[in-house]
């Protein structure tokens, strides 16, 4: 049965109240004040109250992922690092990925560069059998991007295709981010700005 | 094949692949990981092709190799309001103008599979040879035997999502995601269930199909909704009964309990037993519910006392109820996005009245879709395959998918709706056709050939004319000693429909069906007999010999380029036309024994004047019978003056025929037409 909310900590109840009103929330506190504990309480309660909804929980490192998974696990809960979450949501859109990367490379303002003298053409990555890949290392000429580029490419794609935000919102009714202070601005941009622009 | 939002009715003649569609969906979409394909699921051409390939010495080259096997492609369209959560895993394009997902399923053999198959078969072949040498009466197993046993080693199931190309409206076979590799399950995207035609209904005494189904329904209700008051009540009642029964058992089994106790044990009370009642709610329904028919108050009949037709109908409703419950899925799982139910030939073991009831009610039964308490409702798409004209006659034209054999071995699925665009401005014609065909002549959809006739006289005569031709042909072949390569007309699947003078309306329809058709009509000769007060020509019916044109709208439509003289004089070859793939013969009177008939009646009288004269006093459809002896009256006059009622005259012919139907002749134009139709 659903655990009564009244038995929960006051700050957890407050968060749930925000959720009821479909508002985003930010929970801050000093080190060791129990933020992750509260987060887990919220996740448990949300799952109990919405048994068919999917919940995404992101954190910064693989170690943190493991820690959360150990404390709460459920079929509908997906815990991952921010990078894995983003990659998982964009990797199948091969065409969009290629054109985004090309556009970013040719944009002198962006931080993604390639060692070519002239702007690259639209078919630059078309010969790649595996398309654009995300790995631990960077090999841009072979279409392999790494952590920093992933964030830039993701931001670009989310901005360009509002439908992607709709998809992610359809997929997850709840998204929680742990260690928000360590999250890069490009990512925050996706969740706070791009998400708002899509339907519902 | 395009599927409709709710009902899609698949029709087609036998062997056009209705069941194959079901099998393909079932084998690819069922959630089991097991490989359900057998060698006999491949079509005959493919079997031949594959055996040729592996039995030949020719090397197969990798770059020339195409994966061989069975393929299924599902095109799924989504809209802005759809929840994309599940399909997002297989989506490949973010372009807002591309809203189609293509799921591809294959049971196929890749290049490596093909090479090892060739190698393994070569080994198999040589060992078979050795066996034969060792034992001369050993019969060598064929390539088919080998494949039947081992095909699963080489053919594999493969599921992919393909990129969709909105311009060509096809899948881009080059770009895809391997669903297995990416660990993407499609069970949340599409849920497929079916009711096969081989339902386990039989009204045998022991068989309690319906009663068995009640426990299945109960089991579904129980898992899907543990709050259900009725279920709780049921359980409460059971424990109440349990304690009641336990009391009764005590008395009932007192004797045996005492004996056991007296038999003793090592210690006191060790062999003390008690028999108590433990009613299991599920098992209770399994063996102990009986579905009875409430004939009237006080008369309940057991299920097997009822007709098979009713049992089948009710069983089907039970089955649908079970499946709809299964579509709802467990409480903490949402139903799939697409819920597809296939009902195969609901008419099996059901008589026409039941089929009528079934199709009338199925739309409202399934129209509700999948309703859950938590509001996660879904639409239900369902496919019904049928070859029952009764079901068809009461369904909507727009729901119908017609399976049609193309030249070669291919079959295509056509939307009957597509016909509407063929008729373009002629919407009245289309409306007429729609009503006429579904209400009175639905069987034409299942026919191999068709005869389009003008009216009553032909309708009465045609079956007998076909029989007469069958008898004559049989005799002819007996005499010549040859074998007739074609089936007798009455053994062929020929549909006869009355079209009056409207056969041209059926032109596009015949083309759509693509079936060989014979149109029997009349030459309808007319001449100008004068002018009215406004100076317009007055046109009247006349003998063909006096005629200057035909008033038959079908002839004027199909042969608009022919002059009157070409029309009456034309041989059978020039009376044939092609409508798409359908060859059509337009048959009308031609000159025979020096007389050119204008209608069936005068053509018949001219040919059978002795028969008519002989039977004149018994014919009921004749008047002025003295004219028959008047040499001044020709067949045209006789048909005009002596035939009182055309239908009676036609019935007179049938009634006075001898057993062999040999005391009269068929006018040539009809005979030629029927013989032409007989050929394949």
């Amino acid at each position: 049965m659903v655990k009564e909310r009244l038995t929960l900590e006051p700050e957890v109840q407050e968060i749930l109240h925000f959720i009821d009103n479909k508002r985003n929330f930010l929970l801050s506190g000093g080190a060791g004040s129990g933020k992750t504990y509260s987060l887990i309480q919220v996740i448990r309660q949300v799952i109990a109250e919405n048994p068919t909804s999917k919940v995404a929980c992101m954190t910064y490192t693989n170690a943190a992922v493991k820690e959360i998974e150990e404390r709460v696990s459920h079929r509908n809960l997906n815990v991952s690092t921010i990078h894995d979450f983003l990659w998982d949501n964009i990797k199948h859109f091969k065409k969009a990925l290629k054109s985004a990367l090309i556009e970013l490379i040719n944009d002198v303002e962006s931080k993604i560069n390639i060692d070519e003298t002239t702007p690259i053409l639209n078919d630059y990555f078309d010969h790649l059998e595996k398309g654009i890949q995300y790995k631990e290392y960077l090999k841009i000429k072979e279409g392999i991007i790494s952590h920093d580029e992933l964030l830039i490419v993701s931001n670009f794609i989310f901005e360009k295709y509002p439908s992607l935000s709709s998809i992610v919102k359809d997929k997850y009714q709840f998204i929680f981010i742990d260690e928000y202070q360590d999250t890069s601005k490009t990512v925050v941009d996706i969740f706070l700005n791009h998400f708002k622009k899509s339907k519902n | 094949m395009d599927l409709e939002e709710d009902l899609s009715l698949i029709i087609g003649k036998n062997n056009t692949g209705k069941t194959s569609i079901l099998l393909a969906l079932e084998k690819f979409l069922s959630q089991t990981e097991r490989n359900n394909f057998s060698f006999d699921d491949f079509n005959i051409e493919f079997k031949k092709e594959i055996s040729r390939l592996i039995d030949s010495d020719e090397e197969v080259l990798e770059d020339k190799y195409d994966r061989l096997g069975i393929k299924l492609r599902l095109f799924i369209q989504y809209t802005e309001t759809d929840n994309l959560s599940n399909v997002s895993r297989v989506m490949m394009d973010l372009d807002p103008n591309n809203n189609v997902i293509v799921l591809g399923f294959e049971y196929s053999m890749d290049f490596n599979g093909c090479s090892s198959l060739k190698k393994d078969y070569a080994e198999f072949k040589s060992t078979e040879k050795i066996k034969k040498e060792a034992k001369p009466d050993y019969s060598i197993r064929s390539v088919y035997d080998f494949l039947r046993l081992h095909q699963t080693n080489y053919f594999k199931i493969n599921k992919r999502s393909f990129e969709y190309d909105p311009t060509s409206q096809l899948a881009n076979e080059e770009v895809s995601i391997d669903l297995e590799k990416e660990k993407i399950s499609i069970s949340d995207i599409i849920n497929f269930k079916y009711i096969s035609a081989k339902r386990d209904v039989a009204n045998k005494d022991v068989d309690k199909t319906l009663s068995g189904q009640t426990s299945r329904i109960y089991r579904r209700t129980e898992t899907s909704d543990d709050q259900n008051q009725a279920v709780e009540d049921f359980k409460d009642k059971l424990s109440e009964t349990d304690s009641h029964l336990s009391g009764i058992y005590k008395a009932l089994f007192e004797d045996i309990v005492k004996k056991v106790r007296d038999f003793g044990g090592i210690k006191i009370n060790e062999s003390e037993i008690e028999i108590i009642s433990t009613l299991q709610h599920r098992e209770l329904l399994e063996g102990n519910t009986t579905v009875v028919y409430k004939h009237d108050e006080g008369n309940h009949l057991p299920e097997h006392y009822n007709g098979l037709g009713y049992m089948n109908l009710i069983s089907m409703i039970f089955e649908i109820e079970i499946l709809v419950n299964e579509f709802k899925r467990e409480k903490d799982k949402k139903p799939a996005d697409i819920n597809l139910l296939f009902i195969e030939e609901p008419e099996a073991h059901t008589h026409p009245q039941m089929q009528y009831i079934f199709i009338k009610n199925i739309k409202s039964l399934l129209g509700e879709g999948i309703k859950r308490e938590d509001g996660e409702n879904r639409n239900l798409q369902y496919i019904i395959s049928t070859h029952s004209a009764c079901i068809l006659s009461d369904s909507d034209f727009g729901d119908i998918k017609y399976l049609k054999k193309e030249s070669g071995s291919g079959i295509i699925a056509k939307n009957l709706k597509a016909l509407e665009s063929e008729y373009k401005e002629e919407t009245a014609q289309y409306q007429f056709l729609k009503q006429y065909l579904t209400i009175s002549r639905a069987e034409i959809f299942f026919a191999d050939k068709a005869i389009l006739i003008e009216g009553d006289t032909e309708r009465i005569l045609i079956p007998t004319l076909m029989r007469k031709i069958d008898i004559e042909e049989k005799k002819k072949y007996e005499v010549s000693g040859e074998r007739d390569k074609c089936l007798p007309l009455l053994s062929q699947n020929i549909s006869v429909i009355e079209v009056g003078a409207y056969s041209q309306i059926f032109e596009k329809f015949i083309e759509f069906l693509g079936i060989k058709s014979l149109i029997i009509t009349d030459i309808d000769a007319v001449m100008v007999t004068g002018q009215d007060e406004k100076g317009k020509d007055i046109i009247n019916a006349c003998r063909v010999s006096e005629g200057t044109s035909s008033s038959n709208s079908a002839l004027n439509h199909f042969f608009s380029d022919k002059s009157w003289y070409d029309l009456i004089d034309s041989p059978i070859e020039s009376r044939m036309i092609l409508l798409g793939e359908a060859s059509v013969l337009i048959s009308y009177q031609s000159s025979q024994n020096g007389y050119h008939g204008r209608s069936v009646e005068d053509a018949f009288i001219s040919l059978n004047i002795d028969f008519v004269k002989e039977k004149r006093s018994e014919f009921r459809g004749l008047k002025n019978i003295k004219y028959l002896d008047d040499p001044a009256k020709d067949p045209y006059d006789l048909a005009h003056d002596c035939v009182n009622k055309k239908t009676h005259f036609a019935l007179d012919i049938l009634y006075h025929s001898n057993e062999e139907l040999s005391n009269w002749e068929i006018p040539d134009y009809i005979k030629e037409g029927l013989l032409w139709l007989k050929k394949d």
Side-chain angles (χ1 to χ4, degrees), chain A residues 182-200:
Chain A
D182 299 331
T183 310
S184 111
K185 202 195 148 295
T186 33
V187 177
V188 175
D189 208 29
I190 293 175
F191 292 114
L192 293 185
N193 297 330
H194 302 336
F195 268 29
K196 268 191 197 146
K197 275 185 253 157
S198 71
K199 66 154 191 184
N200 51 59

Side-chain angles (χ1 to χ4, degrees), chain B residues 7-22 194-199 201 312-313 316 320 341-351 354-355 358-359 383-389 391 403 446:
Chain B
L7 170 64
S8 306
L9 193 69
I10 302 183
I11 61 164
K13 293 175 255 180
N14 280 331
N15 278 325
T16 43
K18 293 190 288 289
T19 304
S20 302
I21 294 173
L22 169 62
Y194 66 95
I195 299 175
S196 141
K198 297 181 196 77
R199 286 176 284 276
V201 189
N312 203 301
L313 187 70
M316 215 153 18
I320 288 169
L341 175 65
F342 197 119
I343 304 174
E344 186 190 21
E345 294 178 12
E347 68 268 22
H349 320 293
T350 310
H351 23 75
M354 292 295 145
Q355 300 173 19
F358 175 82
I359 197 70
I383 304 171
I384 294 175
S385 73
T386 182
H387 49 197
S388 151
I391 287 186
L403 297 183
F446 306 101

Side-chain angles (χ1 to χ4, degrees), chain B residues 39-40 47 142-152:
Chain B
F39 182 60
D40 289 316
K47 282 183 184 173
S142 70
V143 59
Y144 280 13
D145 294 321
F146 177 81
L147 284 170
R148 196 160 279 126
L149 288 173
H150 303 295
Q151 54 91 14
T152 47

Side-chain angles (χ1 to χ4, degrees), chain B residues 162-301:
Chain B
F162 288 96
E163 193 179 77
Y164 176 74
D165 182 355
T167 4
S168 67
Q169 303 199 335
L170 292 171
N172 178 0
E173 303 278 333
E174 303 295 314
V175 186
S176 65
I177 310 172
D178 188 325
L179 301 186
E180 207 124 311
K181 236 187 227 161
E182 298 282 338
K183 298 199 178 61
I184 299 172
S185 153
I186 54 154
S187 65
D188 285 330
I189 300 176
I190 183 161
N191 194 353
F192 176 75
K193 299 190 182 298
Y194 66 95
I195 299 175
S196 141
K198 297 181 196 77
R199 286 176 284 276
D200 45 357
V201 189
N203 48 359
K204 272 186 268 164
D205 201 12
V206 285
D207 196 284
K208 283 192 174 174
T209 317
L210 296 181
S211 303
Q213 279 173 322
T214 52
S215 75
R216 275 180 72 199
I217 291 183
Y218 171 69
R219 215 171 288 182
R220 294 308 314 179
T221 327
E222 192 195 29
T223 50
S224 63
D225 195 359
D226 52 7
Q227 309 258 290
N228 195 316
Q229 194 55 43
V231 175
E232 284 304 312
D233 287 351
F234 180 46
K235 286 181 183 166
D236 287 351
K237 196 79 200 165
L238 282 185
S239 37
E240 209 178 288
T241 315
D242 268 342
S243 49
H244 186 68
L245 281 179
S246 296
I248 295 175
Y249 288 173
K250 208 166 195 164
L252 202 61
F253 297 106
E254 200 182 6
D255 224 23
I256 182 84
V257 169
K258 189 172 168 284
K259 277 181 189 158
V260 175
R261 190 178 50 219
D262 291 350
F263 199 77
I266 298 168
K267 288 185 211 147
I268 297 173
N269 286 348
E270 206 180 42
S271 60
E272 177 100 23
I273 58 163
E274 207 178 322
I275 291 164
I276 58 162
S277 161
T278 51
L279 294 173
Q280 293 294 317
H281 51 115
R282 276 184 215 153
E283 279 71 18
L284 191 66
L285 284 172
E286 197 110 46
N288 302 299
T289 40
T290 308
V291 174
V292 292
Y293 294 91
K294 202 167 154 182
H295 187 68
D296 51 43
E297 280 313 319
N299 267 317
H300 291 252
L301 296 173

